[in-house]
Coordinates of all heavy atoms in Angstrom, one line a residue:
M1 N -142.1 -24.3 50.8 CA -141.4 -23.3 49.9 C -140.2 -23.9 49.3 O -139.4 -24.6 50.0 CB -141.0 -22.1 50.7 CG -140.5 -20.9 49.9 SD -140.1 -19.5 50.9 CE -141.6 -18.6 50.7
A2 N -140.0 -23.8 48.0 CA -138.9 -24.4 47.3 C -137.6 -23.7 47.7 O -137.5 -22.6 48.2 CB -139.1 -24.3 45.8
F3 N -136.5 -24.5 47.5 CA -135.1 -24.0 47.8 C -134.8 -22.6 47.2 O -134.4 -21.7 48.0 CB -134.1 -25.0 47.4 CG -132.7 -24.4 47.6 CD1 -132.1 -24.4 48.8 CD2 -132.0 -24.0 46.5 CE1 -130.8 -23.9 49.0 CE2 -130.7 -23.5 46.7 CZ -130.1 -23.4 47.9
F4 N -135.1 -22.4 46.0 CA -134.7 -21.2 45.3 C -135.6 -20.0 45.8 O -135.2 -18.9 45.8 CB -134.7 -21.3 43.8 CG -133.6 -22.1 43.3 CD1 -133.7 -23.3 42.7 CD2 -132.3 -21.6 43.4 CE1 -132.7 -24.0 42.2 CE2 -131.2 -22.3 43.0 CZ -131.4 -23.6 42.4
D5 N -136.8 -20.3 46.2 CA -137.7 -19.3 46.7 C -137.2 -18.8 48.1 O -137.1 -17.6 48.4 CB -139.1 -19.8 46.9 CG -139.9 -20.0 45.6 OD1 -139.5 -19.4 44.6 OD2 -140.7 -20.9 45.6
Q6 N -136.7 -19.8 48.9 CA -136.1 -19.4 50.2 C -134.8 -18.6 50.0 O -134.6 -17.7 50.7 CB -135.8 -20.7 51.0 CG -137.0 -21.4 51.5 CD -136.7 -22.7 52.2 OE1 -135.6 -23.1 52.2 NE2 -137.7 -23.4 52.7
L7 N -134.0 -19.0 49.0 CA -132.8 -18.3 48.8 C -133.1 -16.9 48.3 O -132.5 -15.9 48.8 CB -132.0 -19.0 47.7 CG -130.7 -18.3 47.2 CD1 -129.7 -18.1 48.4 CD2 -130.0 -19.1 46.1
K8 N -134.1 -16.7 47.5 CA -134.4 -15.4 47.0 C -134.9 -14.5 48.2 O -134.4 -13.3 48.3 CB -135.6 -15.4 46.0 CG -136.0 -14.1 45.5 CD -137.0 -14.2 44.4 CE -137.6 -12.9 44.0 NZ -136.7 -11.8 43.8
N9 N -135.7 -15.0 49.1 CA -136.1 -14.3 50.3 C -134.9 -13.9 51.1 O -134.8 -12.7 51.6 CB -137.1 -15.1 51.1 CG -138.5 -15.2 50.4 OD1 -138.8 -14.3 49.6 ND2 -139.2 -16.2 50.8
R10 N -134.0 -14.8 51.3 CA -132.8 -14.5 52.1 C -131.9 -13.4 51.5 O -131.5 -12.5 52.1 CB -132.0 -15.7 52.4 CG -132.6 -16.7 53.4 CD -131.6 -17.8 53.8 NE -132.4 -19.0 53.9 CZ -132.1 -20.2 53.5 NH1 -131.0 -20.3 52.8 NH2 -132.8 -21.2 53.7
L11 N -131.7 -13.6 50.2 CA -130.9 -12.6 49.5 C -131.5 -11.2 49.5 O -130.8 -10.2 49.7 CB -130.7 -13.0 48.0 CG -129.8 -14.2 47.8 CD1 -129.9 -14.7 46.3 CD2 -128.4 -13.9 48.1
D12 N -132.8 -11.1 49.3 CA -133.5 -9.8 49.3 C -133.5 -9.2 50.7 O -133.6 -8.0 50.8 CB -134.9 -10.0 48.8 CG -134.9 -10.2 47.3 OD1 -134.0 -9.9 46.6 OD2 -135.9 -10.8 46.8
T13 N -133.5 -10.0 51.7 CA -133.4 -9.5 53.1 C -132.0 -8.9 53.4 O -131.9 -7.9 54.1 CB -133.7 -10.7 54.1 OG1 -135.0 -11.2 53.8 CG2 -133.7 -10.2 55.5
V14 N -131.0 -9.6 52.9 CA -129.6 -9.2 53.3 C -129.0 -8.1 52.4 O -128.3 -7.3 52.8 CB -128.7 -10.5 53.2 CG1 -127.3 -10.1 53.5 CG2 -129.2 -11.5 54.3
H15 N -129.4 -8.1 51.1 CA -128.8 -7.2 50.1 C -129.7 -6.1 49.7 O -131.0 -6.3 49.7 CB -128.4 -8.0 48.9 CG -127.3 -9.0 49.1 ND1 -126.0 -8.7 49.1 CD2 -127.4 -10.3 49.4 CE1 -125.2 -9.7 49.4 NE2 -126.1 -10.8 49.5
T16 N -129.1 -5.0 49.3 CA -129.8 -3.9 48.6 C -129.3 -4.0 47.2 O -128.1 -4.0 46.9 CB -129.5 -2.6 49.2 OG1 -129.9 -2.6 50.6 CG2 -130.2 -1.4 48.5
W17 N -130.2 -4.0 46.2 CA -129.8 -4.2 44.8 C -129.6 -2.9 44.1 O -130.4 -2.0 44.3 CB -130.8 -5.1 44.1 CG -131.0 -6.4 44.8 CD1 -132.1 -6.7 45.5 CD2 -130.1 -7.4 45.0 NE1 -132.0 -7.9 46.1 CE2 -130.7 -8.4 45.8 CE3 -128.8 -7.7 44.6 CZ2 -130.1 -9.6 46.2 CZ3 -128.2 -8.8 44.9 CH2 -128.8 -9.8 45.7
P18 N -128.7 -2.8 43.2 CA -127.7 -3.8 42.8 C -126.6 -3.9 43.9 O -126.5 -3.0 44.7 CB -127.0 -3.2 41.5 CG -127.3 -1.8 41.5 CD -128.6 -1.6 42.4
S19 N -125.9 -5.1 43.9 CA -125.0 -5.4 45.0 C -123.9 -6.3 44.5 O -124.0 -7.0 43.5 CB -125.7 -6.1 46.1 OG -124.9 -6.3 47.2
N20 N -122.8 -6.3 45.2 CA -121.7 -7.3 44.9 C -122.1 -8.6 45.5 O -122.7 -8.7 46.5 CB -120.4 -6.8 45.4 CG -119.8 -5.6 44.7 OD1 -120.0 -5.4 43.5 ND2 -119.1 -4.8 45.4
Y21 N -121.7 -9.7 44.8 CA -122.0 -11.0 45.3 C -120.8 -11.9 45.0 O -120.2 -11.8 44.0 CB -123.3 -11.6 44.6 CG -123.8 -12.9 45.2 CD1 -124.4 -12.9 46.4 CD2 -123.5 -14.1 44.6 CE1 -124.9 -14.0 47.0 CE2 -123.9 -15.3 45.2 CZ -124.6 -15.2 46.4 OH -125.0 -16.4 47.0
L22 N -120.6 -12.9 45.9 CA -119.5 -13.8 45.8 C -120.1 -15.2 45.6 O -120.7 -15.8 46.5 CB -118.6 -13.8 47.1 CG -117.5 -14.8 47.1 CD1 -116.5 -14.4 46.0 CD2 -116.8 -14.8 48.4
F23 N -119.9 -15.7 44.4 CA -120.3 -17.1 44.1 C -119.1 -18.0 44.4 O -117.9 -17.6 44.2 CB -120.5 -17.3 42.6 CG -121.8 -16.6 42.1 CD1 -121.7 -15.3 41.5 CD2 -123.0 -17.2 42.1 CE1 -122.8 -14.7 41.0 CE2 -124.1 -16.6 41.7 CZ -124.1 -15.3 41.1
K24 N -119.3 -19.2 44.9 CA -118.3 -20.2 45.2 C -118.8 -21.6 44.7 O -119.9 -22.0 45.1 CB -117.9 -20.2 46.7 CG -117.2 -19.0 47.1 CD -116.7 -19.2 48.6 CE -115.7 -18.1 48.9 NZ -114.8 -18.5 50.0
F25 N -117.9 -22.2 44.0 CA -118.2 -23.5 43.5 C -117.0 -24.4 43.6 O -115.9 -24.0 43.5 CB -118.6 -23.5 42.0 CG -119.8 -22.6 41.7 CD1 -119.7 -21.3 41.3 CD2 -121.1 -23.1 41.9 CE1 -120.8 -20.5 41.0 CE2 -122.2 -22.4 41.6 CZ -122.1 -21.1 41.2
I26 N -117.2 -25.7 43.7 CA -116.2 -26.7 43.6 C -116.7 -27.7 42.5 O -117.8 -28.1 42.5 CB -116.0 -27.5 44.9 CG1 -115.5 -26.6 46.0 CG2 -114.9 -28.6 44.7 CD1 -115.4 -27.2 47.4
V27 N -115.8 -28.0 41.5 CA -116.2 -28.8 40.4 C -115.0 -29.7 40.0 O -113.9 -29.3 40.2 CB -116.6 -27.8 39.2 CG1 -115.5 -27.1 38.7 CG2 -117.4 -28.5 38.2
P28 N -115.3 -30.9 39.4 CA -114.3 -31.7 38.9 C -113.5 -30.9 37.8 O -114.1 -30.1 37.1 CB -115.0 -32.9 38.3 CG -116.3 -32.9 39.0 CD -116.6 -31.5 39.3
M29 N -112.2 -31.1 37.8 CA -111.3 -30.3 36.9 C -111.8 -30.3 35.5 O -111.8 -29.3 34.8 CB -109.9 -30.7 37.1 CG -108.9 -29.9 36.4 SD -108.9 -28.2 37.0 CE -107.9 -27.4 35.8
H30 N -112.2 -31.5 35.0 CA -112.7 -31.6 33.6 C -114.0 -30.9 33.3 O -114.4 -30.8 32.2 CB -112.7 -33.1 33.2 CG -113.8 -33.9 33.8 ND1 -113.7 -34.4 35.1 CD2 -115.0 -34.2 33.4 CE1 -114.8 -35.0 35.4 NE2 -115.6 -34.9 34.4
K31 N -114.7 -30.4 34.4 CA -115.9 -29.6 34.2 C -115.7 -28.1 34.3 O -116.7 -27.3 34.3 CB -116.9 -30.1 35.2 CG -117.4 -31.5 35.0 CD -118.2 -31.7 33.8 CE -118.8 -33.1 33.7 NZ -119.8 -33.2 32.7
K32 N -114.5 -27.7 34.5 CA -114.2 -26.3 34.7 C -114.7 -25.4 33.6 O -115.4 -24.4 33.8 CB -112.7 -26.1 34.9 CG -112.2 -24.6 34.9 CD -110.7 -24.5 34.9 CE -110.3 -23.0 34.8 NZ -108.8 -22.9 34.7
G33 N -114.5 -25.8 32.4 CA -115.0 -25.0 31.2 C -116.5 -24.8 31.2 O -117.0 -23.8 30.9
E34 N -117.2 -25.9 31.6 CA -118.7 -25.8 31.6 C -119.1 -24.8 32.6 O -120.0 -24.0 32.4 CB -119.3 -27.2 32.0 CG -119.4 -28.2 30.9 CD -120.1 -29.4 31.4 OE1 -121.3 -29.3 31.8 OE2 -119.5 -30.5 31.3
L35 N -118.4 -24.8 33.8 CA -118.8 -23.8 34.8 C -118.5 -22.4 34.4 O -119.3 -21.5 34.5 CB -118.1 -24.1 36.1 CG -118.3 -23.1 37.3 CD1 -119.8 -23.0 37.6 CD2 -117.5 -23.5 38.5
L36 N -117.3 -22.2 33.8 CA -116.9 -20.8 33.4 C -117.9 -20.3 32.3 O -118.1 -19.1 32.3 CB -115.5 -20.8 32.9 CG -114.4 -21.1 33.9 CD1 -113.0 -21.1 33.3 CD2 -114.5 -20.0 35.1
N37 N -118.5 -21.2 31.5 CA -119.4 -20.8 30.5 C -120.7 -20.2 31.0 O -121.4 -19.5 30.4 CB -119.7 -21.9 29.5 CG -118.6 -22.1 28.6 OD1 -117.8 -21.3 28.3 ND2 -118.5 -23.4 28.1
V38 N -121.1 -20.6 32.3 CA -122.4 -20.2 32.8 C -122.2 -19.0 33.8 O -123.2 -18.4 34.2 CB -123.2 -21.3 33.5 CG1 -123.5 -22.4 32.6 CG2 -122.5 -21.8 34.8
L39 N -121.0 -18.6 34.1 CA -120.7 -17.6 35.1 C -120.7 -16.2 34.4 O -120.2 -16.1 33.2 CB -119.4 -17.8 35.8 CG -119.3 -19.0 36.7 CD1 -117.9 -19.1 37.3 CD2 -120.4 -19.0 37.7
P40 N -121.2 -15.2 35.0 CA -121.1 -13.8 34.5 C -119.7 -13.3 34.6 O -118.8 -14.0 35.2 CB -122.1 -13.0 35.4 CG -122.1 -13.8 36.7 CD -121.9 -15.2 36.3
T41 N -119.4 -12.2 34.0 CA -118.0 -11.6 34.1 C -117.8 -11.1 35.5 O -118.7 -10.7 36.2 CB -117.8 -10.5 33.1 OG1 -118.8 -9.5 33.4 CG2 -117.9 -11.0 31.7
G42 N -116.6 -11.1 35.9 CA -116.2 -10.6 37.2 C -114.8 -11.1 37.6 O -114.1 -11.7 36.8
L43 N -114.4 -10.9 38.8 CA -113.1 -11.3 39.3 C -113.2 -12.8 39.8 O -113.9 -13.1 40.7 CB -112.7 -10.4 40.5 CG -111.4 -10.7 41.2 CD1 -110.2 -10.5 40.2 CD2 -111.2 -9.9 42.4
I44 N -112.4 -13.6 39.1 CA -112.4 -15.0 39.3 C -111.1 -15.4 40.0 O -110.0 -15.0 39.6 CB -112.6 -15.8 38.0 CG1 -114.0 -15.6 37.5 CG2 -112.4 -17.3 38.3 CD1 -114.3 -16.3 36.2
E45 N -111.2 -16.2 41.1 CA -110.1 -16.9 41.7 C -110.3 -18.4 41.7 O -111.4 -18.9 41.9 CB -110.0 -16.4 43.2 CG -109.7 -15.0 43.4 CD -109.5 -14.6 44.8 OE1 -109.2 -15.5 45.7 OE2 -109.7 -13.4 45.1
E46 N -109.2 -19.1 41.3 CA -109.2 -20.5 41.2 C -108.2 -21.1 42.2 O -107.1 -20.6 42.4 CB -108.8 -20.9 39.8 CG -109.8 -20.4 38.7 CD -109.3 -20.8 37.3 OE1 -108.3 -21.5 37.2 OE2 -110.0 -20.4 36.4
K47 N -108.5 -22.3 42.7 CA -107.6 -23.0 43.5 C -107.8 -24.5 43.3 O -108.9 -25.1 43.4 CB -107.9 -22.7 45.0 CG -106.9 -23.4 45.9 CD -107.1 -23.0 47.4 CE -106.2 -23.8 48.3 NZ -106.5 -23.6 49.7
L48 N -106.7 -25.2 42.9 CA -106.8 -26.6 42.6 C -106.8 -27.4 44.0 O -106.1 -27.0 44.9 CB -105.5 -27.1 41.8 CG -105.6 -26.8 40.3 CD1 -104.2 -27.1 39.7 CD2 -106.7 -27.6 39.7
S49 N -107.4 -28.5 43.9 CA -107.3 -29.4 45.1 C -105.9 -30.0 45.2 O -105.2 -30.0 44.2 CB -108.4 -30.5 45.0 OG -108.1 -31.4 43.9
R50 N -105.6 -30.6 46.3 CA -104.3 -31.2 46.5 C -104.0 -32.2 45.4 O -102.9 -32.3 44.9 CB -104.2 -31.8 47.9 CG -102.9 -32.3 48.3 CD -102.9 -32.8 49.7 NE -104.1 -33.4 50.2 CZ -104.2 -34.7 50.2 NH1 -103.3 -35.5 49.8 NH2 -105.4 -35.3 50.7
T51 N -105.0 -33.0 45.0 CA -104.8 -34.1 44.0 C -104.9 -33.6 42.6 O -104.6 -34.3 41.7 CB -105.8 -35.2 44.2 OG1 -107.1 -34.7 44.1 CG2 -105.6 -35.8 45.6
G52 N -105.5 -32.4 42.4 CA -105.7 -31.8 41.1 C -106.9 -32.3 40.4 O -107.2 -32.0 39.2
K53 N -107.7 -33.1 41.1 CA -109.0 -33.6 40.5 C -110.1 -32.6 40.5 O -111.0 -32.7 39.7 CB -109.4 -34.9 41.2 CG -108.5 -36.1 41.0 CD -109.0 -37.3 41.8 CE -108.1 -38.5 41.6 NZ -108.6 -39.6 42.4
Y54 N -110.1 -31.7 41.5 CA -111.1 -30.7 41.6 C -110.5 -29.3 41.6 O -109.3 -29.1 41.9 CB -111.9 -30.9 43.0 CG -112.6 -32.2 43.0 CD1 -112.0 -33.4 43.5 CD2 -113.9 -32.3 42.5 CE1 -112.6 -34.6 43.5 CE2 -114.5 -33.6 42.6 CZ -113.9 -34.7 43.1 OH -114.5 -35.9 43.1
I55 N -111.4 -28.3 41.3 CA -111.0 -26.9 41.3 C -112.1 -26.1 42.0 O -113.3 -26.4 41.8 CB -110.7 -26.4 39.9 CG1 -110.1 -25.0 40.0 CG2 -111.9 -26.4 39.0 CD1 -109.4 -24.5 38.7
S56 N -111.6 -25.2 42.9 CA -112.5 -24.3 43.6 C -112.5 -23.0 42.8 O -111.4 -22.5 42.5 CB -112.0 -24.1 45.0 OG -112.7 -23.0 45.6
I57 N -113.7 -22.5 42.4 CA -113.8 -21.3 41.7 C -114.7 -20.3 42.5 O -115.8 -20.6 42.8 CB -114.4 -21.5 40.3 CG1 -113.4 -22.4 39.5 CG2 -114.6 -20.2 39.6 CD1 -113.8 -22.7 38.1
S58 N -114.1 -19.1 42.7 CA -114.8 -18.0 43.4 C -115.0 -16.9 42.4 O -114.0 -16.6 41.7 CB -114.1 -17.6 44.6 OG -113.9 -18.6 45.6
L59 N -116.1 -16.3 42.3 CA -116.4 -15.2 41.4 C -117.0 -14.1 42.2 O -118.1 -14.3 42.8 CB -117.3 -15.6 40.3 CG -117.9 -14.5 39.5 CD1 -116.9 -13.8 38.6 CD2 -119.1 -15.0 38.7
K60 N -116.4 -12.9 42.2 CA -117.0 -11.7 42.8 C -117.5 -10.9 41.6 O -116.7 -10.5 40.7 CB -116.0 -11.0 43.6 CG -116.6 -9.9 44.4 CD -115.7 -9.3 45.4 CE -116.4 -8.3 46.3 NZ -115.5 -7.7 47.3
T61 N -118.8 -10.5 41.6 CA -119.3 -9.8 40.5 C -120.5 -8.9 41.1 O -121.0 -9.1 42.2 CB -119.8 -10.7 39.4 OG1 -120.2 -9.9 38.3 CG2 -121.0 -11.5 39.8
R62 N -120.8 -7.9 40.3 CA -122.0 -7.1 40.6 C -123.2 -7.6 40.0 O -123.2 -7.9 38.8 CB -121.7 -5.6 40.2 CG -122.7 -4.6 40.7 CD -122.0 -3.3 41.0 NE -122.9 -2.3 41.5 CZ -123.1 -2.1 42.7 NH1 -122.5 -2.8 43.7 NH2 -124.0 -1.1 43.1
V63 N -124.3 -7.8 40.7 CA -125.5 -8.3 40.2 C -126.6 -7.3 40.4 O -126.6 -6.5 41.4 CB -125.9 -9.6 40.8 CG1 -125.0 -10.7 40.4 CG2 -126.0 -9.6 42.3
E64 N -127.6 -7.3 39.6 CA -128.7 -6.3 39.6 C -129.8 -6.7 40.6 O -130.5 -5.9 41.1 CB -129.3 -6.1 38.2 CG -128.3 -5.5 37.3 CD -127.8 -4.1 37.7 OE1 -128.7 -3.3 38.2 OE2 -126.6 -3.8 37.6
A65 N -130.0 -8.0 40.7 CA -131.1 -8.5 41.6 C -130.9 -10.0 42.0 O -130.1 -10.7 41.4 CB -132.4 -8.4 40.8
S66 N -131.6 -10.4 43.0 CA -131.5 -11.8 43.4 C -131.8 -12.8 42.3 O -131.3 -13.9 42.3 CB -132.4 -12.0 44.7 OG -133.7 -11.7 44.4
D67 N -132.7 -12.4 41.4 CA -133.1 -13.3 40.3 C -131.9 -13.6 39.5 O -131.7 -14.7 38.9 CB -134.2 -12.7 39.5 CG -135.5 -12.7 40.2 OD1 -135.8 -13.6 41.0 OD2 -136.3 -11.7 39.9
D68 N -130.9 -12.7 39.3 CA -129.7 -12.9 38.5 C -128.8 -14.0 39.2 O -128.2 -14.8 38.6 CB -128.9 -11.6 38.4 CG -129.7 -10.6 37.6 OD1 -130.6 -10.9 36.9 OD2 -129.4 -9.4 37.9
I69 N -128.8 -14.0 40.5 CA -128.0 -14.9 41.3 C -128.6 -16.3 41.1 O -127.9 -17.3 40.9 CB -127.9 -14.5 42.8 CG1 -127.1 -13.2 42.9 CG2 -127.3 -15.6 43.6 CD1 -127.2 -12.6 44.3
I70 N -129.9 -16.4 41.3 CA -130.6 -17.7 41.2 C -130.5 -18.3 39.8 O -130.3 -19.5 39.7 CB -132.1 -17.5 41.6 CG1 -132.1 -17.2 43.1 CG2 -132.9 -18.7 41.2 CD1 -133.4 -16.8 43.6
A71 N -130.5 -17.4 38.8 CA -130.3 -17.9 37.4 C -128.9 -18.6 37.2 O -128.8 -19.7 36.6 CB -130.4 -16.8 36.4
V72 N -127.9 -18.0 37.8 CA -126.6 -18.6 37.8 C -126.5 -20.0 38.5 O -126.0 -21.0 38.0 CB -125.5 -17.7 38.3 CG1 -124.1 -18.4 38.5 CG2 -125.4 -16.4 37.5
Y73 N -127.1 -20.0 39.7 CA -127.1 -21.3 40.5 C -127.9 -22.4 39.7 O -127.5 -23.5 39.8 CB -127.7 -21.1 41.9 CG -126.7 -20.5 42.8 CD1 -127.0 -19.3 43.5 CD2 -125.5 -21.1 43.1 CE1 -126.0 -18.8 44.4 CE2 -124.5 -20.6 44.0 CZ -124.8 -19.4 44.6 OH -123.9 -18.9 45.5
K74 N -129.0 -22.0 39.1 CA -129.8 -23.0 38.3 C -129.0 -23.6 37.2 O -129.0 -24.8 36.9 CB -131.1 -22.4 37.9 CG -132.1 -22.2 39.0 CD -133.4 -21.7 38.4 CE -134.5 -21.6 39.5 NZ -135.8 -21.1 39.0
K75 N -128.3 -22.7 36.4 CA -127.5 -23.2 35.3 C -126.3 -24.0 35.8 O -126.0 -25.1 35.2 CB -126.9 -22.0 34.5 CG -127.9 -21.2 33.7 CD -127.3 -20.0 33.0 CE -128.3 -19.2 32.4 NZ -127.7 -17.9 31.8
A76 N -125.7 -23.6 36.9 CA -124.6 -24.4 37.5 C -125.0 -25.7 38.0 O -124.3 -26.7 37.9 CB -123.9 -23.6 38.6
A77 N -126.2 -25.8 38.5 CA -126.7 -27.1 39.1 C -126.8 -28.2 38.0 O -126.9 -29.3 38.4 CB -128.1 -26.8 39.7
L78 N -126.9 -27.8 36.8 CA -126.9 -28.8 35.7 C -125.6 -29.5 35.4 O -125.5 -30.5 34.7 CB -127.5 -28.2 34.4 CG -128.9 -27.5 34.5 CD1 -129.2 -26.8 33.2 CD2 -129.9 -28.6 34.9
I79 N -124.5 -29.0 36.0 CA -123.2 -29.5 35.8 C -123.0 -30.7 36.7 O -123.1 -30.5 37.9 CB -122.1 -28.4 36.0 CG1 -122.3 -27.3 35.0 CG2 -120.7 -29.0 35.8 CD1 -121.5 -26.0 35.3
E80 N -122.7 -31.8 36.1 CA -122.5 -33.0 36.9 C -121.3 -32.9 37.9 O -120.2 -32.5 37.5 CB -122.2 -34.2 36.0 CG -122.2 -35.5 36.8 CD -122.0 -36.7 35.8 OE1 -122.3 -36.6 34.6 OE2 -121.6 -37.8 36.3
G81 N -121.5 -33.2 39.2 CA -120.4 -33.2 40.1 C -120.1 -31.9 40.8 O -119.2 -31.8 41.6
I82 N -120.9 -30.8 40.5 CA -120.7 -29.5 41.1 C -121.1 -29.4 42.5 O -122.1 -30.1 42.9 CB -121.3 -28.4 40.2 CG1 -120.7 -27.1 40.6 CG2 -122.8 -28.4 40.4 CD1 -121.0 -26.0 39.6
V83 N -120.4 -28.7 43.3 CA -120.8 -28.3 44.7 C -120.9 -26.8 44.7 O -119.9 -26.1 44.4 CB -119.8 -28.8 45.7 CG1 -120.2 -28.4 47.1 CG2 -119.7 -30.3 45.6
S84 N -122.1 -26.3 45.0 CA -122.3 -24.9 45.2 C -122.2 -24.5 46.6 O -122.9 -25.1 47.5 CB -123.7 -24.4 44.6 OG -123.8 -24.8 43.3
L85 N -121.4 -23.5 46.9 CA -121.3 -23.1 48.3 C -121.9 -21.8 48.6 O -122.1 -21.0 47.7 CB -119.8 -23.0 48.7 CG -119.0 -24.3 48.4 CD1 -117.5 -24.0 48.6 CD2 -119.4 -25.4 49.4

């Protein structure tokens, strides 16, 4: 079973849709704009790394279904140097 299929199964087991979801990413600072362009609207918190080379971005938002979450992770995965948590 592929990673995103497993993730969908876990999300559907844990959540009742629609539901709030917390996305967390770490990305090189120069890629911040790319990440923000693929994220849905919601409450965003940012934290710079000690050196300022990386930024942690957390997004709390309401999603309609697990497929919406997976779509965001797939778009984010195309950003070079991203870490999805």
Side-chain angles (χ1 to χ4, degrees):
M1 187 178 266
F3 171 76
F4 287 114
D5 292 333
Q6 291 176 356
L7 177 59
K8 179 176 174 44
N9 286 338
R10 284 189 218 135
L11 290 169
D12 289 337
T13 300
V14 175
H15 294 277
T16 302
W17 308 109
S19 183
N20 290 329
Y21 188 77
L22 179 64
F23 291 95
K24 288 189 167 200
F25 300 97
I26 299 171
V27 69
M29 187 59 189
H30 69 279
K31 296 288 186 169
K32 174 185 169 184
E34 279 185 59
L35 177 58
L36 293 177
N37 285 336
V38 302
L39 294 179
T41 59
L43 178 63
I44 293 178
E45 292 183 24
E46 300 177 1
K47 184 177 178 187
L48 281 173
S49 67
R50 185 173 39 94
T51 62
K53 292 181 181 178
Y54 296 92
I55 188 163
S56 166
I57 296 180
S58 300
L59 166 71
K60 187 171 188 177
T61 190
R62 188 142 179 96
V63 293
E64 296 299 317
S66 57
D67 291 329
D68 299 334
I69 295 169
I70 291 169
V72 171
Y73 280 124
K74 284 182 176 181
K75 289 177 189 174
L78 300 176
I79 300 170
E80 186 178 342
I82 196 164
V83 175
S84 301
L85 305 171

